[in-house]
Amino acid sequence: MAGSEHVRVAVVGSGFGGLGAAVRLRREGVTDFVVLERAGAVGGTWRDNSYPGCACDVPSHLYSFSFAPNPDWPRTFSGQEHIWDYLERVADTFRLRPHIRLNTEVRRMRWDTEKLLWHVETSRGTLTADVVVSATGPLSDPKTPDIPGLADFPGKVFHSARWDHGYDLRGKRVAMIGTGASAIQIVPEIQREVTRLTLFQRTPPWVLPRTDREITRVERWLHRQLPFTTYARRGLLWGIRELQVQAFTKRPNELGLIESLAKRNMARAIKDPELRAKLTPTYRIGCKRILLSNTYYPALAQPHVDVVASGLAEVRGSTLVAADGTEAEADAIVFGTGFHVTDMPIADRVVGDDGRTLAESWKDGMKALRGATAAGFPNFLTVIGPNTGLGNSSMILMIESQLNYLADYLRQLDVLGGRAALAARPSAVGAWNRRVQQRMERTVWNTGGCTSWYLDANGVNTTVWPGTTTEFRAATRRVDLNEYEVLRPPAASGRAARGGRGAKAEVTA
């Protein structure tokens, strides 16, 4: 990339958020954009997470773009390879390849207060952009805990999101660290080939049956011949989940029935009372992510599988020591310990109008107006930003709502004309965040008695949306200019910028 290259929009990331943004830009008539992807292929988390058993826990027909329905999903819950293939086809179908820059990692993005544009430094050169869309996603950078002695472990160590397919687990003693969504898919797969599997469980998850099945040829034929049946299926799946939201957000005590179903699921496979006690959560279901599996509990009941009801605290050579003192020998350690969700590394690489990074601005917690724009970072939008996550439905619904907001944001800039930028007012960001956190107080994520990855270091839920996807879509349908300052270049306004943010134009709406 030449240093003088300029684009209207620079999109960072090529997962669902980045590709969705690219499609929306083309549909809005914007063709002057690039998609910057640090890896060698599109796909985001569905490219990176190729561990054994990797699959989605949202039904296939709901976990796809409304503008790109797939009548040929092979299963009701699709595997990683099918979702990655879907994203590759989206890139081809909507002719996105010419816009995508693979193996191009963003190293720094700096806002220019004089020219009202972003300077984007990448591993392959620099460019400038009027607008930046950060679509790196919260599940892109693995988190591995700092365990004393881990650096001296003589065996193999890797994270579930960076699976080493060249390492043969057969005949090995393997330690699985963590009991999240990845771990419960990995454990049943690898226990078949390892000599011994030790699961270090800090907190047991609630696990419901997974109602997965093959989608028949007749069903797929019907979806191809009568596309409205695909939309009807998607609509039914969406509606059921919308009706469930009240229990999560306003009436957590109603989730007791779901807990009984989860306990029954456990009891079918786990006959040992001591093991069942280890695996029974003490918090309200839904407080942590509810997991789906028919094979997790049967795998834990196998004689060569051990469950340590404590987190990994120390590594002494090939001996792993839990916080409760339990020891286990291992040849390999697999970390299923999640991602940097509330401390996304991309935030360290974004420098706003006052010289602070986004990470510094968010040091007391992530905050963004309507989940998209942060105070001090003009013309910078995040897809899957703060408080846009879901606990029971498809994130694609939230992504598409944020793409509506992005589209109207660009329309507003067009209406303003000339060189202009929109800067989220701190008062508007604060008001939005207060409303979100007030609604969060009654939710199961805040009252359920657990500590989850939804919470940041201060114990604040900056991850999940405390309402329905319908409510979020309504909140992001249009950009309210009263929530923004309109910035103009100082030379164009005839007066100097105040606070280093460019000249401000008053807006009446």
Side-chain angles (χ1 to χ4, degrees):
M1 290 185 291
S4 59
E5 181 181 11
H6 179 79
V7 294
R8 176 87 189 281
V9 182
V11 180
V12 185
S14 69
F16 267 101
L19 294 181
V23 172
R24 190 56 185 267
L25 289 172
R26 285 189 64 95
R27 296 178 78 179
E28 291 291 320
V30 179
T31 58
D32 184 17
F33 70 90
V34 294
V35 178
L36 306 174
E37 169 55 56
R38 67 184 177 184
V42 302
T45 191
W46 294 106
R47 174 201 60 233
D48 295 341
N49 287 268
S50 60
Y51 58 78
C54 183
C56 190
D57 58 6
V58 175
S60 304
H61 287 88
L62 192 59
Y63 200 78
S64 48
F65 290 120
S66 63
F67 53 78
N70 179 17
D72 291 312
W73 287 116
R75 302 194 66 83
T76 52
F77 290 88
S78 290
Q80 172 263 343
E81 67 276 17
H82 303 121
I83 299 173
W84 187 15
D85 180 66
Y86 170 79
L87 289 171
E88 291 277 8
R89 281 186 284 117
V90 166
D92 291 330
T93 300
F94 292 92
R95 303 191 303 278
L96 304 180
R97 299 288 182 185
H99 300 277
I100 299 172
R101 311 281 179 85
L102 299 176
N103 299 305
T104 305
E105 182 175 10
V106 171
R107 292 174 173 169
R108 196 77 164 170
M109 293 184 282
R110 179 177 56 81
W111 176 249
D112 189 324
T113 59
E114 297 296 319
K115 297 179 180 178
L116 298 187
L117 51 76
W118 285 95
H119 293 272
V120 183
E121 302 173 18
T122 80
S123 58
R124 298 182 61 191
T126 62
L127 73 155
T128 56
D130 295 332
V131 176
V132 167
V133 179
S134 177
T136 59
L139 305 182
S140 57
D141 290 284
K143 178 185 288 186
T144 301
D146 185 14
I147 305 294
L150 181 61
D152 297 322
F153 178 69
K156 189 69 175 179
V157 178
F158 53 87
H159 192 279
S160 60
R162 301 292 184 268
W163 195 269
D164 188 341
H165 292 278
Y167 182 75
D168 190 355
L169 292 176
R170 286 178 296 183
K172 302 293 196 307
R173 300 167 299 176
V174 179
M176 181 78 223
I177 314 301
T179 53
S182 299
I184 73 156
Q185 294 179 341
I186 293 170
V187 165
E189 296 295 320
I190 67 173
Q191 64 86 20
R192 300 169 183 157
E193 54 188 38
V194 302
T195 297
R196 178 154 296 278
L197 177 61
T198 304
L199 176 68
F200 284 80
Q201 170 193 270
R202 190 171 55 182
T203 308
W206 285 106
V207 183
L208 289 171
R210 183 182 180 86
T211 55
D212 184 31
R213 66 171 177 83
E214 183 180 356
I215 297 178
T216 66
R217 272 190 262 180
V218 173
E219 289 175 280
R220 284 181 273 171
W221 177 87
L222 187 64
H223 291 329
R224 284 194 300 271
Q225 300 302 314
L226 301 173
F228 77 87
T229 61
T230 302
Y231 289 106
R233 187 171 190 160
R234 176 187 176 89
L236 178 62
L237 293 168
W238 165 78
I240 291 172
R241 282 156 181 77
E242 288 291 273
L243 293 174
Q244 295 171 344
V245 171
Q246 294 286 336
F248 286 84
T249 59
K250 294 181 180 180
R251 296 187 291 272
N253 289 334
E254 294 182 358
L255 293 166
L257 175 62
I258 309 301
E259 284 185 9
S260 65
L261 295 176
K263 289 178 179 178
R264 196 174 309 160
N265 184 42
M266 183 196 305
R268 278 195 292 264
I270 305 298
K271 304 304 180 183
D272 178 4
E274 184 178 345
L275 179 57
R276 195 183 304 172
K278 286 183 180 180
L279 298 175
T280 301
T282 57
Y283 56 88
R284 174 63 76 191
I285 193 169
C287 183
K288 295 170 74 75
R289 184 175 174 180
I290 300 175
L291 308 181
L292 306 177
S293 178
N294 300 325
T295 56
Y296 179 62
Y297 288 135
L300 297 184
Q302 298 303 309
H304 67 296
V305 178
D306 298 318
V307 177
V308 177
S310 183
L312 178 62
E314 185 183 358
V315 177
R316 300 172 188 161
S318 61
T319 302
L320 279 56
V321 184
D324 65 359
T326 303
E327 297 184 0
E329 296 296 313
D331 303 305
I333 302 174
V334 179
F335 283 97
T337 45
F339 301 84
H340 289 276
V341 175
T342 60
D343 58 342
M344 293 186 288
I346 190 68
D348 287 308
R349 306 183 183 194
V350 184
V351 182
D353 61 9
D354 62 356
R356 289 194 304 166
T357 65
L358 186 57
E360 290 169 333
S361 177
W362 281 350
K363 63 181 176 64
D364 295 323
M366 300 190 301
K367 301 180 183 70
L369 178 59
R370 303 182 188 275
T373 54
F377 298 83
N379 282 11
F380 183 90
L381 296 92
T382 300
V383 177
I384 314 184
N387 290 114
T388 62
L390 293 176
N392 75 313
S393 192
S394 172
M395 278 306 302
I396 314 306
L397 301 170
M398 301 296 279
I399 288 172
E400 290 196 31
S401 292
Q402 292 202 284
L403 299 183
N404 289 340
Y405 197 75
L406 165 64
D408 197 55
Y409 193 101
L410 294 174
R411 290 189 209 112
Q412 296 295 340
L413 289 175
D414 286 340
V415 170
L416 289 169
R419 179 155 295 283
L422 294 177
R425 296 179 184 273
S427 58
V429 176
W432 171 263
N433 188 67
R434 284 191 296 274
R435 290 197 297 272
V436 168
Q437 292 304 324
Q438 285 170 1
R439 295 184 61 179
M440 198 72 72
E441 291 175 0
R442 297 172 57 186
T443 68
V444 68
W445 306 300
N446 278 32
T447 65
C450 74
T451 299
S452 73
W453 57 265
Y454 300 146
L455 310 181
D456 66 13
N458 300 312
V460 179
N461 192 328
T462 59
T463 304
V464 183
W465 168 246
T468 65
T469 62
T470 302
E471 290 175 295
F472 189 75
R473 177 151 295 202
T476 52
R477 193 174 302 277
R478 295 283 185 271
V479 170
D480 181 357
L481 284 182
N482 288 310
E483 296 180 329
Y484 289 88
E485 297 171 2
V486 177
L487 307 184
R488 297 285 189 183
S493 68
R495 57 194 175 96
R498 288 183 290 169
R501 299 185 58 171
K504 304 173 185 178
E506 294 301 319
V507 175
T508 58

